[in-house]
Amino acid sequence: MMPKTIRRSLFVLVCVVLMFAGQAVCLRAQGGTASTVPVLRGYSSTESQTERDWEQKFRAIPDVKNLRENMYILSSEPHHVGSPKDKSNAEFILKKFHEFGLKAEIEEFEVLFPTPKERLVELLEPEKYTAQLKEPAVPQDPDSTDAGQLPTYNAYSADGDVTAQVVYVNYGTPKDYEELDKLDISVKGKIVLARYGASWRGIKPKVAYEHGAIGCLIYSDPRDDGYTRGDIYPEGPMRPWQGVQRGSVADMPIYPGDPETPGWASVKGAKRLSLSEAKTLMKIPVLPISYGDAQPILRNLRGPVAPEAWRGALPITYHIGPGPAVVHLKASFNWNVEPIYDVVARIDGSTAPDEWIVRGNHHDAWVNGASDPISGQVALIEEARAYGQLLKQGWQPHRTIIYAAWDGEEPGLLGSTEWAEKHADELKKHAVAYINSDSNGKGWLGASGSHTLEDFVNEVAKDIRDPESGKSVWEAWKQRQIDQAKTDQDKKEIRERADLRIGALGSGSDYTVYIDHLGIASLNLGFGGGGGDGGVYHSIYDDFAWYTRFGDTTFEYGRALSQTVGTMVMRLADAPVLPFQFQDFSDTVAKYITELDKLEKDVKPPQSFDLTPLHEAAGTLKQSADRYHAAFEKRAAGNWGLAPAQMKSLNTMLFMTERKLTNAQGLPSRSWFEHEIYAPGLYTGYGVKTIPGVREALEQKNWGDVVPQMNNVVKALRDMSAEIDDATKVLEGQ
Ligand SMILES: [Zn+2]
């Protein structure tokens, strides 16, 4: 870490920028020192320098002491939806925003939030065992004894009382059921035992139910996040014998948010569906259990020995069943409606107040949630504090900045979804981009989102210092990608492609409504992969003691997150021309279409589908992207030379390009999901399906959907190309 005094020196500042820059693209004389710094995309040379100066000041402000202190306060008690601490945390964050000098308020919603009334899992045959369903306190971890911890459960499970033989279904994905079919094993009338991992947890009971199961248990196998991965808590960071992963099992790939208010805001007094009308509630009882509780059940299964890939790390031979293990599973819930509290701060833009950059991270947790979500929330608070200081020093963003601490993410992205549904019309008109984070840890930058912002993410990552290596975050990220690449071809591409690829967004955090429902270009960012991540995910052990021993113990990656996301928000808010870039997007879409070509062959449809229209639309998009790029470069070199009204319409067109990728009818059987390029998989949950309409029609062999869905994608890509062309015309002065 550089001392602050040195950071203030302009000479060193320039050298630092140089060191972090991937490549220099312009020569500039500065304070008598000739040096090269890249001009920021969307800025003229002078505008770029002014922006860089403010950003440098910004990045010096986030402080590890504050990150640590705020985590200590916010994670000191369990703070799930409906708890006193959930509300007081919202008030604490509001107070912070006010102290920083920002306008802020709490927006309240009322949401369906079931909590357990009865939970029972007992093995009846061939031996008796009653599951503990309880995570023991750890003596050296004071928060592990906190009062008010939510019991271990899966939110939105059905009420139920069932007794049946057990079948082990591995991860419980559709592929695992194909394997069961081959072995001629049915789960009809049985209770399935699935392990966490490979898919989002809500998929497991959903697929089990579709195959006729009457109950579902989900356990954490030590191979996936227990002793196979490292020492278990408290010796190490990984899940101990009685550790349980809580979590939602709402059918969120249909729609997230309050199950009783799909597509509209659950403000006080809003119309609500009845429980029986709410489509996303699970139809069978589900409970999560520890590997300590799973072992007696697994040990008492016979039938075929599980295929090698299905075997976990418990010291037993894994069999599939059915039985002879017979389990009695009973679960019932208080189906309460609870208030949630979104804390929303706003900094009005000076010249374009009607263009919004929205930044969010949730504040609610399953229990104490030091890692998930407070590690990300404290970074967000430090960004807000830094903006408060810059405002006092005379900085004012051109565009409006909105900072949101969401409530109710854990049960079903409730706070972000309901807020976005409430403000949908304004957001569609005004939102330029949404930037999300969630849990943060030590390691490498992870970035996913709209590929129109891929180039921008790369640009910013070059300007942030990686705490561990001292190189730029971009350099560390690149090395990590090379190390993890599976083939030499992939390694070569990473070395040679100008921009590192960002992932596509599925679901699993608060960006979902912004990108998938409203068509707002979105990013999800966080550091991680440096050890310990996820070992105590959604358990009572995800607390301050764990995080400060095994997480980002020095909070330097929390500071790096503040610096990364805060720089992005500033740079987007201040850019004279928004830094969207369409070549990376068109390259990525072309790649997805090539995957569809292969998929079409692999699934062997009764008659082959001609995907040429997709290739043609991608070709048109590439031409539009290239032409825009050429016009953009020319204008940028000439310091824009456009009238304010032209700049305004140019920027509007640029951020509207993502809206063009949506289709108001939505995807088959899930009309809430409107994006034609990205969606969480109907049967993967968190995992993304790109060009989902076509891909899922092929995968699920819904042959009748393939052509209509392809036509929707073609239309979306053409509409986007036309919007890019309009932007190009402004630049070309036509
Ligand atoms: Zn989270």
Side-chain angles (χ1 to χ4, degrees), residues 439-475:
S439 305
N440 193 62
K442 56 180 182 257
W444 296 269
L445 181 65
S448 300
S450 301
H451 291 84
T452 53
L453 290 172
E454 183 171 87
D455 181 72
F456 175 69
V457 171
N458 276 265
E459 182 190 75
V460 172
K462 287 172 185 168
D463 289 341
I464 315 296
R465 180 183 172 275
D466 171 48
E468 183 104 3
S469 64
K471 295 180 186 163
S472 72
V473 158
W474 188 84
E475 288 286 347

mmCIF file of all heavy atoms in Angstrom, residues 439-475:
data_model
loop_
_atom_site.group_PDB
_atom_site.id
_atom_site.type_symbol
_atom_site.label_atom_id
_atom_site.label_comp_id
_atom_site.label_asym_id
_atom_site.label_seq_id
_atom_site.Cartn_x
_atom_site.Cartn_y
_atom_site.Cartn_z
ATOM 1 N N SER A 439 -21.045 -10.497 -1.667
ATOM 2 C CA SER A 439 -19.915 -10.894 -0.823
ATOM 3 C C SER A 439 -18.599 -10.527 -1.495
ATOM 4 O O SER A 439 -18.476 -10.621 -2.713
ATOM 5 C CB SER A 439 -19.914 -12.406 -0.632
ATOM 6 O OG SER A 439 -21.139 -12.822 -0.117
ATOM 7 N N ASN A 440 -17.631 -10.160 -0.673
ATOM 8 C CA ASN A 440 -16.302 -9.840 -1.206
ATOM 9 C C ASN A 440 -15.245 -10.560 -0.376
ATOM 10 O O ASN A 440 -15.420 -10.747 0.828
ATOM 11 C CB ASN A 440 -16.080 -8.322 -1.135
ATOM 12 C CG ASN A 440 -14.891 -7.876 -1.950
ATOM 13 O OD1 ASN A 440 -14.874 -8.048 -3.165
ATOM 14 N ND2 ASN A 440 -13.887 -7.311 -1.288
ATOM 15 N N GLY A 441 -14.163 -10.962 -1.029
ATOM 16 C CA GLY A 441 -13.093 -11.632 -0.304
ATOM 17 C C GLY A 441 -11.747 -11.310 -0.916
ATOM 18 O O GLY A 441 -11.656 -10.493 -1.831
ATOM 19 N N LYS A 442 -10.699 -11.968 -0.414
ATOM 20 C CA LYS A 442 -9.390 -11.715 -1.012
ATOM 21 C C LYS A 442 -9.254 -12.548 -2.287
ATOM 22 O O LYS A 442 -9.890 -13.589 -2.429
ATOM 23 C CB LYS A 442 -8.271 -12.009 -0.028
ATOM 24 C CG LYS A 442 -8.266 -13.409 0.556
ATOM 25 C CD LYS A 442 -7.091 -13.575 1.524
ATOM 26 C CE LYS A 442 -7.053 -14.991 2.084
ATOM 27 N NZ LYS A 442 -7.560 -15.098 3.450
ATOM 28 N N GLY A 443 -8.445 -12.063 -3.197
ATOM 29 C CA GLY A 443 -8.256 -12.827 -4.428
ATOM 30 C C GLY A 443 -8.264 -11.969 -5.663
ATOM 31 O O GLY A 443 -7.592 -10.941 -5.711
ATOM 32 N N TRP A 444 -9.051 -12.388 -6.632
ATOM 33 C CA TRP A 444 -9.010 -11.758 -7.942
ATOM 34 C C TRP A 444 -10.353 -11.129 -8.267
ATOM 35 O O TRP A 444 -11.390 -11.537 -7.746
ATOM 36 C CB TRP A 444 -8.663 -12.801 -9.001
ATOM 37 C CG TRP A 444 -7.297 -13.359 -8.782
ATOM 38 C CD1 TRP A 444 -6.141 -12.889 -9.307
ATOM 39 C CD2 TRP A 444 -6.936 -14.473 -7.947
ATOM 40 N NE1 TRP A 444 -5.072 -13.628 -8.853
ATOM 41 C CE2 TRP A 444 -5.528 -14.609 -8.026
ATOM 42 C CE3 TRP A 444 -7.659 -15.355 -7.155
ATOM 43 C CZ2 TRP A 444 -4.836 -15.609 -7.336
ATOM 44 C CZ3 TRP A 444 -6.974 -16.342 -6.463
ATOM 45 C CH2 TRP A 444 -5.584 -16.465 -6.556
ATOM 46 N N LEU A 445 -10.308 -10.149 -9.161
ATOM 47 C CA LEU A 445 -11.549 -9.511 -9.586
ATOM 48 C C LEU A 445 -12.392 -10.520 -10.350
ATOM 49 O O LEU A 445 -11.899 -11.227 -11.228
ATOM 50 C CB LEU A 445 -11.237 -8.307 -10.492
ATOM 51 C CG LEU A 445 -12.468 -7.528 -10.983
ATOM 52 C CD1 LEU A 445 -13.201 -6.860 -9.826
ATOM 53 C CD2 LEU A 445 -12.085 -6.490 -12.035
ATOM 54 N N GLY A 446 -13.657 -10.585 -9.991
ATOM 55 C CA GLY A 446 -14.633 -11.330 -10.776
ATOM 56 C C GLY A 446 -15.586 -10.307 -11.353
ATOM 57 O O GLY A 446 -16.065 -9.431 -10.621
ATOM 58 N N ALA A 447 -15.816 -10.361 -12.650
ATOM 59 C CA ALA A 447 -16.691 -9.369 -13.284
ATOM 60 C C ALA A 447 -17.597 -10.061 -14.282
ATOM 61 O O ALA A 447 -17.140 -10.844 -15.109
ATOM 62 C CB ALA A 447 -15.853 -8.309 -13.995
ATOM 63 N N SER A 448 -18.876 -9.781 -14.160
ATOM 64 C CA SER A 448 -19.844 -10.297 -15.125
ATOM 65 C C SER A 448 -20.795 -9.175 -15.474
ATOM 66 O O SER A 448 -20.982 -8.253 -14.679
ATOM 67 C CB SER A 448 -20.666 -11.444 -14.523
ATOM 68 O OG SER A 448 -19.833 -12.491 -14.143
ATOM 69 N N GLY A 449 -21.415 -9.291 -16.633
ATOM 70 C CA GLY A 449 -22.413 -8.288 -16.964
ATOM 71 C C GLY A 449 -22.567 -8.064 -18.445
ATOM 72 O O GLY A 449 -22.199 -8.909 -19.268
ATOM 73 N N SER A 450 -23.108 -6.893 -18.756
ATOM 74 C CA SER A 450 -23.390 -6.536 -20.144
ATOM 75 C C SER A 450 -22.081 -6.364 -20.891
ATOM 76 O O SER A 450 -21.206 -5.605 -20.449
ATOM 77 C CB SER A 450 -24.173 -5.229 -20.183
ATOM 78 O OG SER A 450 -25.376 -5.379 -19.467
ATOM 79 N N HIS A 451 -21.968 -7.016 -22.015
ATOM 80 C CA HIS A 451 -20.699 -6.976 -22.750
ATOM 81 C C HIS A 451 -20.469 -5.656 -23.465
ATOM 82 O O HIS A 451 -19.371 -5.403 -23.952
ATOM 83 C CB HIS A 451 -20.594 -8.182 -23.682
ATOM 84 C CG HIS A 451 -20.444 -9.458 -22.911
ATOM 85 N ND1 HIS A 451 -21.522 -10.142 -22.402
ATOM 86 C CD2 HIS A 451 -19.328 -10.116 -22.495
ATOM 87 C CE1 HIS A 451 -21.079 -11.190 -21.716
ATOM 88 N NE2 HIS A 451 -19.758 -11.203 -21.759
ATOM 89 N N THR A 452 -21.482 -4.797 -23.486
ATOM 90 C CA THR A 452 -21.283 -3.430 -23.989
ATOM 91 C C THR A 452 -20.402 -2.638 -23.016
ATOM 92 O O THR A 452 -19.910 -1.569 -23.351
ATOM 93 C CB THR A 452 -22.630 -2.704 -24.148
ATOM 94 O OG1 THR A 452 -23.349 -2.782 -22.916
ATOM 95 C CG2 THR A 452 -23.459 -3.350 -25.254
ATOM 96 N N LEU A 453 -20.246 -3.164 -21.787
ATOM 97 C CA LEU A 453 -19.394 -2.503 -20.789
ATOM 98 C C LEU A 453 -18.102 -3.290 -20.531
ATOM 99 O O LEU A 453 -17.340 -2.960 -19.625
ATOM 100 C CB LEU A 453 -20.163 -2.311 -19.470
ATOM 101 C CG LEU A 453 -21.294 -1.276 -19.524
ATOM 102 C CD1 LEU A 453 -22.121 -1.305 -18.241
ATOM 103 C CD2 LEU A 453 -20.745 0.141 -19.756
ATOM 104 N N GLU A 454 -17.844 -4.324 -21.322
ATOM 105 C CA GLU A 454 -16.645 -5.148 -21.103
ATOM 106 C C GLU A 454 -15.363 -4.318 -21.233
ATOM 107 O O GLU A 454 -14.457 -4.390 -20.389
ATOM 108 C CB GLU A 454 -16.617 -6.306 -22.107
ATOM 109 C CG GLU A 454 -15.464 -7.260 -21.920
ATOM 110 C CD GLU A 454 -15.616 -8.502 -22.796
ATOM 111 O OE1 GLU A 454 -15.179 -8.469 -23.966
ATOM 112 O OE2 GLU A 454 -16.189 -9.499 -22.320
ATOM 113 N N ASP A 455 -15.304 -3.525 -22.279
ATOM 114 C CA ASP A 455 -14.124 -2.693 -22.507
ATOM 115 C C ASP A 455 -13.927 -1.715 -21.337
ATOM 116 O O ASP A 455 -12.819 -1.506 -20.849
ATOM 117 C CB ASP A 455 -14.320 -1.928 -23.831
ATOM 118 C CG ASP A 455 -13.130 -1.059 -24.179
ATOM 119 O OD1 ASP A 455 -12.088 -1.625 -24.555
ATOM 120 O OD2 ASP A 455 -13.232 0.177 -24.054
ATOM 121 N N PHE A 456 -15.039 -1.165 -20.863
ATOM 122 C CA PHE A 456 -15.011 -0.224 -19.743
ATOM 123 C C PHE A 456 -14.490 -0.884 -18.462
ATOM 124 O O PHE A 456 -13.657 -0.317 -17.746
ATOM 125 C CB PHE A 456 -16.428 0.329 -19.537
ATOM 126 C CG PHE A 456 -16.580 1.218 -18.348
ATOM 127 C CD1 PHE A 456 -15.990 2.472 -18.316
ATOM 128 C CD2 PHE A 456 -17.329 0.808 -17.242
ATOM 129 C CE1 PHE A 456 -16.137 3.293 -17.200
ATOM 130 C CE2 PHE A 456 -17.479 1.626 -16.134
ATOM 131 C CZ PHE A 456 -16.884 2.865 -16.114
ATOM 132 N N VAL A 457 -14.937 -2.095 -18.185
ATOM 133 C CA VAL A 457 -14.468 -2.823 -16.991
ATOM 134 C C VAL A 457 -12.958 -3.021 -17.076
ATOM 135 O O VAL A 457 -12.228 -2.825 -16.099
ATOM 136 C CB VAL A 457 -15.191 -4.187 -16.856
ATOM 137 C CG1 VAL A 457 -14.552 -5.033 -15.760
ATOM 138 C CG2 VAL A 457 -16.670 -3.992 -16.571
ATOM 139 N N ASN A 458 -12.478 -3.385 -18.248
ATOM 140 C CA ASN A 458 -11.038 -3.573 -18.454
ATOM 141 C C ASN A 458 -10.284 -2.272 -18.207
ATOM 142 O O ASN A 458 -9.235 -2.263 -17.548
ATOM 143 C CB ASN A 458 -10.767 -4.065 -19.880
ATOM 144 C CG ASN A 458 -10.915 -5.573 -20.017
ATOM 145 O OD1 ASN A 458 -9.945 -6.313 -19.934
ATOM 146 N ND2 ASN A 458 -12.145 -6.050 -20.195
ATOM 147 N N GLU A 459 -10.827 -1.178 -18.736
ATOM 148 C CA GLU A 459 -10.162 0.113 -18.578
ATOM 149 C C GLU A 459 -10.011 0.477 -17.089
ATOM 150 O O GLU A 459 -8.924 0.850 -16.637
ATOM 151 C CB GLU A 459 -10.971 1.201 -19.300
ATOM 152 C CG GLU A 459 -10.343 2.582 -19.233
ATOM 153 C CD GLU A 459 -11.282 3.661 -19.749
ATOM 154 O OE1 GLU A 459 -12.238 4.026 -19.028
ATOM 155 O OE2 GLU A 459 -11.063 4.145 -20.864
ATOM 156 N N VAL A 460 -11.091 0.307 -16.341
ATOM 157 C CA VAL A 460 -11.041 0.679 -14.924
ATOM 158 C C VAL A 460 -10.101 -0.256 -14.154
ATOM 159 O O VAL A 460 -9.305 0.195 -13.321
ATOM 160 C CB VAL A 460 -12.457 0.678 -14.303
ATOM 161 C CG1 VAL A 460 -12.389 0.881 -12.789
ATOM 162 C CG2 VAL A 460 -13.323 1.768 -14.939
ATOM 163 N N ALA A 461 -10.163 -1.559 -14.450
ATOM 164 C CA ALA A 461 -9.338 -2.525 -13.708
ATOM 165 C C ALA A 461 -7.842 -2.232 -13.860
ATOM 166 O O ALA A 461 -7.042 -2.598 -13.002
ATOM 167 C CB ALA A 461 -9.658 -3.949 -14.163
ATOM 168 N N LYS A 462 -7.475 -1.562 -14.949
ATOM 169 C CA LYS A 462 -6.064 -1.205 -15.147
ATOM 170 C C LYS A 462 -5.620 -0.080 -14.214
ATOM 171 O O LYS A 462 -4.428 0.141 -14.030
ATOM 172 C CB LYS A 462 -5.835 -0.794 -16.602
ATOM 173 C CG LYS A 462 -5.858 -1.986 -17.548
ATOM 174 C CD LYS A 462 -5.835 -1.575 -19.008
ATOM 175 C CE LYS A 462 -5.987 -2.818 -19.882
ATOM 176 N NZ LYS A 462 -6.246 -2.501 -21.285
ATOM 177 N N ASP A 463 -6.573 0.632 -13.654
ATOM 178 C CA ASP A 463 -6.245 1.785 -12.806
ATOM 179 C C ASP A 463 -6.309 1.484 -11.316
ATOM 180 O O ASP A 463 -6.137 2.376 -10.494
ATOM 181 C CB ASP A 463 -7.203 2.944 -13.112
ATOM 182 C CG ASP A 463 -6.920 3.551 -14.478
ATOM 183 O OD1 ASP A 463 -5.811 3.341 -15.004
ATOM 184 O OD2 ASP A 463 -7.807 4.222 -15.019
ATOM 185 N N ILE A 464 -6.602 0.232 -10.955
ATOM 186 C CA ILE A 464 -6.732 -0.102 -9.534
ATOM 187 C C ILE A 464 -5.555 -0.994 -9.143
ATOM 188 O O ILE A 464 -5.205 -1.927 -9.858
ATOM 189 C CB ILE A 464 -8.050 -0.865 -9.248
ATOM 190 C CG1 ILE A 464 -9.242 -0.218 -9.963
ATOM 191 C CG2 ILE A 464 -8.282 -0.991 -7.739
ATOM 192 C CD1 ILE A 464 -9.581 1.175 -9.527
ATOM 193 N N ARG A 465 -4.991 -0.711 -7.966
ATOM 194 C CA ARG A 465 -3.851 -1.485 -7.495
ATOM 195 C C ARG A 465 -4.329 -2.746 -6.790
ATOM 196 O O ARG A 465 -5.160 -2.680 -5.889
ATOM 197 C CB ARG A 465 -3.014 -0.626 -6.548
ATOM 198 C CG ARG A 465 -1.790 -1.313 -5.989
ATOM 199 C CD ARG A 465 -1.087 -0.371 -5.005
ATOM 200 N NE ARG A 465 -0.018 -1.072 -4.317
ATOM 201 C CZ ARG A 465 -0.198 -1.812 -3.227
ATOM 202 N NH1 ARG A 465 -1.404 -1.936 -2.705
ATOM 203 N NH2 ARG A 465 0.822 -2.414 -2.653
ATOM 204 N N ASP A 466 -3.781 -3.880 -7.185
ATOM 205 C CA ASP A 466 -4.076 -5.140 -6.511
ATOM 206 C C ASP A 466 -3.250 -5.211 -5.226
ATOM 207 O O ASP A 466 -2.021 -5.121 -5.278
ATOM 208 C CB ASP A 466 -3.715 -6.310 -7.437
ATOM 209 C CG ASP A 466 -3.791 -7.651 -6.714
ATOM 210 O OD1 ASP A 466 -4.815 -7.886 -6.040
ATOM 211 O OD2 ASP A 466 -2.833 -8.441 -6.798
ATOM 212 N N PRO A 467 -3.911 -5.364 -4.067
ATOM 213 C CA PRO A 467 -3.178 -5.323 -2.794
ATOM 214 C C PRO A 467 -2.076 -6.377 -2.693
ATOM 215 O O PRO A 467 -1.017 -6.111 -2.136
ATOM 216 C CB PRO A 467 -4.259 -5.587 -1.745
ATOM 217 C CG PRO A 467 -5.552 -5.266 -2.398
ATOM 218 C CD PRO A 467 -5.362 -5.523 -3.862
ATOM 219 N N GLU A 468 -2.313 -7.560 -3.219
ATOM 220 C CA GLU A 468 -1.379 -8.658 -3.022
ATOM 221 C C GLU A 468 -0.133 -8.524 -3.901
ATOM 222 O O GLU A 468 0.988 -8.595 -3.416
ATOM 223 C CB GLU A 468 -2.090 -9.982 -3.341
ATOM 224 C CG GLU A 468 -1.239 -11.203 -3.098
ATOM 225 C CD GLU A 468 -1.622 -11.940 -1.825
ATOM 226 O OE1 GLU A 468 -2.595 -11.528 -1.166
ATOM 227 O OE2 GLU A 468 -0.929 -12.907 -1.497
ATOM 228 N N SER A 469 -0.339 -8.335 -5.196
ATOM 229 C CA SER A 469 0.797 -8.354 -6.122
ATOM 230 C C SER A 469 1.413 -6.971 -6.305
ATOM 231 O O SER A 469 2.547 -6.860 -6.766
ATOM 232 C CB SER A 469 0.344 -8.879 -7.482
ATOM 233 O OG SER A 469 -0.601 -7.986 -8.048
ATOM 234 N N GLY A 470 0.658 -5.926 -5.969
ATOM 235 C CA GLY A 470 1.156 -4.578 -6.214
ATOM 236 C C GLY A 470 1.034 -4.165 -7.674
ATOM 237 O O GLY A 470 1.281 -3.016 -8.019
ATOM 238 N N LYS A 471 0.658 -5.122 -8.534
ATOM 239 C CA LYS A 471 0.389 -4.768 -9.937
ATOM 240 C C LYS A 471 -1.035 -4.227 -10.032
ATOM 241 O O LYS A 471 -1.706 -4.053 -9.020
ATOM 242 C CB LYS A 471 0.518 -6.019 -10.806
ATOM 243 C CG LYS A 471 1.906 -6.611 -10.861
ATOM 244 C CD LYS A 471 1.857 -7.845 -11.753
ATOM 245 C CE LYS A 471 3.186 -8.574 -11.737
ATOM 246 N NZ LYS A 471 3.015 -9.943 -12.241
ATOM 247 N N SER A 472 -1.493 -4.010 -11.250
ATOM 248 C CA SER A 472 -2.879 -3.562 -11.361
ATOM 249 C C SER A 472 -3.812 -4.757 -11.159
ATOM 250 O O SER A 472 -3.417 -5.918 -11.348
ATOM 251 C CB SER A 472 -3.132 -2.941 -12.734
ATOM 252 O OG SER A 472 -3.155 -3.933 -13.736
ATOM 253 N N VAL A 473 -5.025 -4.447 -10.756
ATOM 254 C CA VAL A 473 -6.052 -5.480 -10.625
ATOM 255 C C VAL A 473 -6.227 -6.206 -11.957
ATOM 256 O O VAL A 473 -6.433 -7.422 -12.004
ATOM 257 C CB VAL A 473 -7.379 -4.806 -10.171
ATOM 258 C CG1 VAL A 473 -8.593 -5.648 -10.522
ATOM 259 C CG2 VAL A 473 -7.327 -4.530 -8.666
ATOM 260 N N TRP A 474 -6.087 -5.462 -13.045
ATOM 261 C CA TRP A 474 -6.227 -6.051 -14.387
ATOM 262 C C TRP A 474 -5.134 -7.083 -14.653
ATOM 263 O O TRP A 474 -5.409 -8.166 -15.148
ATOM 264 C CB TRP A 474 -6.189 -4.927 -15.439
ATOM 265 C CG TRP A 474 -6.518 -5.396 -16.830
ATOM 266 C CD1 TRP A 474 -7.759 -5.555 -17.364
ATOM 267 C CD2 TRP A 474 -5.588 -5.750 -17.868
ATOM 268 N NE1 TRP A 474 -7.669 -5.989 -18.662
ATOM 269 C CE2 TRP A 474 -6.348 -6.121 -19.004
ATOM 270 C CE3 TRP A 474 -4.188 -5.791 -17.949
ATOM 271 C CZ2 TRP A 474 -5.749 -6.520 -20.197
ATOM 272 C CZ3 TRP A 474 -3.602 -6.190 -19.141
ATOM 273 C CH2 TRP A 474 -4.380 -6.553 -20.251
ATOM 274 N N GLU A 475 -3.872 -6.734 -14.304
ATOM 275 C CA GLU A 475 -2.754 -7.672 -14.511
ATOM 276 C C GLU A 475 -2.968 -8.956 -13.702
ATOM 277 O O GLU A 475 -2.727 -10.063 -14.187
ATOM 278 C CB GLU A 475 -1.423 -7.039 -14.075
ATOM 279 C CG GLU A 475 -0.899 -5.950 -14.990
ATOM 280 C CD GLU A 475 -0.333 -6.482 -16.300
ATOM 281 O OE1 GLU A 475 -0.118 -7.713 -16.402
ATOM 282 O OE2 GLU A 475 -0.132 -5.671 -17.217
#
